[in-house]
Amino acid sequence: MTTGAWIALAAALAVLLVVLVVGLVLYRRRRISLTATEKPSAGAPEIDRSGGYQAGGGFNFSQGPTATAEPPAPPAPSAPPVSAAPPVPPAAPTPAPEAPEEVPETPAPVEETPTEVPLADVAPTDVTPTEVTPTEVTPTEPTAPTTELVEVEPLAPESDRPVLDEIAPTSGRLERLRGRLSRSQSAIGKSVLGLLGGGDLDEDSWEEIEDTLLIADLGTATTTKVVERLRQEMAARSVRSEADARALLREVLVDELKPDLDRSVRALPHDDHPAVLLVVGVNGTGKTTTTGKLARVLVADGRRVVLGAADTFRAAAADQLQTWAERVGAEVVRGKEGADPAAVAFDSVARGIDEGVDVVLIDTAGRLHTKTGLMDELGKVKRVVEKKASVDDVLLVLDATIGQNGLAQARVFSEVVDITGVVLTKLDGTAKGGIVFQVQHELGVPVKLVGLGEGADDLAPFEPGAFVDALLG
Ligand SMILES: Nc1nc2c(ncn2[C@@H]2O[C@H](COP(=O)(O)OP(=O)(O)OP(=O)(O)O)[C@@H](O)[C@H]2O)c(=O)[nH]1
């Protein structure tokens, strides 16, 4: 081979080598880039879409588990169907077919999007929420999801919005509202403290304490534990004054309320989708009112909120939620009467994702826990929502005035939708504040919020210490 031929061969080999090296580098770069995009390093700071928001003193908000049950692609009708045959309206001769768990398309976006509303800057007014008298009407089962029945009520342009009233400070609410617990206070605090502070207790006095706690709805298990511990501690410590007795009773009751439970409301947004909360319960317990009050706290703290009116059985229920939305500065997604509640719930979340809001609160229709068809429907609402995003918190709203019956309700709801928190409403109207102990003891689910009145700011985070202080007066 000539020298020239050797040179040509060497040059060809060099070019081939360069091509191979460049190809390898490009290939590896591409791989690194993909990996980095899909799985950010564990220590990477989370994107804060809240404008630096920190949960205001009082209400404690957290982020729900990050795992999304299913990808946010348009869901396929593959989820299990509703198991029980729904009640049939008189006109229908045969049971309606089970609706496949399909979800409709999200309605076309509208121009106006909600903005942060500076509640602190607006003039206070005396507006009170629209009240809807709870009815005994049992809603009928829905038909299949119907896209055209879902509508979005965005926030009106700023100039057309009603003047928002000033929100009461969110911190220290339970202390401020302690007077509302006066009925429970005389039942638990005054009588038990009176007996304990009286010095040596005979068997009759211990029985009286036990009866008082039972009447205040602490339940047998908690009452027995509390009395046993009081007896031990009274024997071990010197309890000479009413102050000593108060300190002891406080300690025992607070311990029973399990102060270490996580009571944060999972309302902080995820990186790529809003927090989703489902509000459930039987008729008239205060679901809509609680949803409105909670939205008010969230908006006042700088959150953007979508309210989903998944009660499609009564137009008045959606109207009531819409009134709240207007008052607090949130957007509402609602369905016409007869729309599938699961479709409305799904569209609320879709809307929340599209708009990049922080929280979607879904208010569901009241339903009796004994109606299997309606409970199945609630399960379907949750499953359908989870095709879009995981549900972070399922809040069961219980009416404290109904006592033991609330527990029966709670058990059934818990089986169907796996409740993660309880809101105990109407504690202002009952002497049975002890139900808080029982609810937690029986369900193992924390009471997260308490309703202490009909006013817009009469919702407080549940804090065991402050609650027991209020009970003891
Ligand atoms: N006293 C008192 N009343 C409350 C409280 N929470 C709600 N209410 C009242 O209870 C009534 C029923 O409240 P709603 O919010 O409509 O109840 P709901 O569970 O949404 O009712 P349905 O949609 O019919 O199931 C209303 O008059 C509320 O003002 C509370 O904490 N204390």
Side-chain angles (χ1 to χ4, degrees):
M1 218 186 289
T2 65
T3 312
W6 277 112
I7 289 170
L9 185 63
L13 280 174
V15 169
L16 191 65
L17 196 67
V18 168
V19 168
L20 276 174
V21 168
V22 169
L24 188 68
V25 166
L26 282 178
Y27 169 72
R28 293 190 65 175
R29 259 201 205 149
R30 217 169 273 155
R31 268 200 345 187
I32 289 163
S33 134
L34 270 178
T35 311
T37 312
E38 285 187 349
K39 293 187 181 168
S41 68
E46 294 202 338
I47 301 163
D48 181 4
R49 302 187 305 121
S50 68
Y53 164 80
Q54 304 254 309
F59 284 83
N60 185 8
F61 297 122
S62 70
Q63 194 179 56
T66 45
T68 304
E70 291 184 41
S78 57
V82 180
S83 59
V88 186
T94 53
E98 288 180 349
E101 290 184 3
E102 289 175 335
V103 289
E105 292 290 316
T106 307
V110 288
E111 271 174 28
E112 188 65 26
T113 58
T115 54
E116 287 183 10
V117 181
L119 286 181
D121 294 337
V122 294
T125 60
D126 228 350
V127 189
T128 47
T130 307
E131 278 180 26
V132 176
T133 312
T135 63
E136 289 300 311
V137 177
T138 305
T140 52
E141 284 282 310
T143 54
T146 41
T147 322
E148 69 277 11
L149 291 180
V150 177
E151 29 180 66
V152 178
E153 295 284 346
L155 271 182
E158 200 150 357
S159 52
D160 296 347
R161 283 183 215 159
V163 176
L164 302 172
D165 49 348
E166 196 173 351
I167 185 168
T170 52
S171 59
R173 274 202 189 177
L174 198 51
E175 281 88 349
R176 278 202 311 284
L177 294 169
R178 64 192 294 166
R180 304 279 173 88
L181 287 162
S182 59
R183 294 184 67 186
S184 296
Q185 195 182 89
S186 24
I188 302 176
K190 297 218 170 74
S191 18
V192 176
L193 267 184
L195 288 162
L196 281 182
D200 287 340
L201 282 99
D202 55 19
E203 280 309 310
D204 285 349
S205 305
W206 281 115
E207 248 175 56
E208 207 175 319
I209 289 179
E210 202 167 312
D211 290 346
T212 309
L213 296 177
L214 284 173
I215 291 167
D217 251 352
L218 265 84
T220 321
T222 308
T223 299
T224 308
K225 266 177 85 183
V226 167
V227 171
E228 259 172 30
R229 212 175 134 208
L230 284 174
R231 285 186 133 191
Q232 282 166 11
E233 300 286 341
M234 289 283 279
R237 316 179 184 183
S238 61
V239 176
R240 295 213 172 83
S241 62
E242 191 163 324
D244 292 341
R246 189 185 189 285
L248 171 60
L249 185 57
R250 182 186 193 279
E251 187 184 314
V252 171
L253 291 179
V254 169
D255 283 354
E256 271 312 303
L257 285 173
K258 301 187 173 66
D260 295 337
L261 287 179
D262 176 12
R263 293 170 206 281
S264 58
V265 178
R266 298 178 191 159
L268 295 189
H270 300 268
D271 288 350
D272 56 352
H273 66 274
V276 177
L277 286 82
L278 204 56
V279 182
V280 304
V282 304
N283 309 63
T285 51
K287 292 177 296 302
T288 307
T289 310
T290 299
T291 306
K293 288 172 177 175
L294 185 57
R296 182 171 160 86
V297 172
L298 288 162
V299 173
D301 277 326
R303 297 276 156 198
R304 290 179 61 206
V305 180
V306 164
L307 301 181
D311 183 349
T312 54
F313 303 113
R314 290 190 305 120
D319 290 347
Q320 189 190 359
L321 193 69
Q322 193 168 335
T323 304
W324 272 104
E326 283 161 12
R327 287 188 64 199
V328 306
E331 187 174 339
V332 69
V333 175
R334 58 182 293 177
K336 291 191 177 133
E337 260 176 297
D340 187 338
V344 178
F346 180 90
D347 274 22
S348 311
V349 177
R351 176 77 182 166
I353 293 172
D354 289 350
E355 293 293 329
V357 305
D358 298 303
V359 195
V360 179
L361 302 177
I362 301 169
D363 180 28
T364 60
R367 65 199 72 229
L368 277 176
H369 57 297
T370 46
K371 301 264 183 194
T372 317
L374 295 177
M375 292 308 290
D376 284 341
E377 180 209 83
L378 184 62
K380 175 184 164 187
V381 168
K382 183 163 181 258
R383 287 194 301 276
V384 168
V385 164
E386 284 181 332
K387 288 171 185 292
K388 200 73 184 156
S390 55
V391 174
D392 296 292
D393 228 344
V394 181
L395 297 176
L396 173 69
V397 180
L398 286 181
D399 178 342
T401 62
I402 62 159
Q404 302 284 336
N405 200 19
L407 290 173
Q409 293 170 13
R411 277 185 217 112
V412 180
F413 274 92
S414 200
E415 277 163 23
V416 175
V417 281
D418 197 12
I419 56 177
T420 49
V422 171
V423 183
L424 212 49
T425 57
K426 312 189 191 180
L427 270 171
D428 52 311
T430 178
K432 295 180 175 292
I435 192 73
V436 173
F437 293 83
Q438 242 189 119
V439 164
Q440 287 198 163
H441 184 267
E442 294 263 322
L443 303 175
V445 173
V447 173
K448 292 190 171 183
L449 301 167
V450 286
L452 292 158
E454 296 188 71
D457 295 327
D458 296 340
L459 179 77
F462 180 70
E463 299 153 17
F467 183 75
V468 171
D469 283 341
L471 288 185
L472 300 186

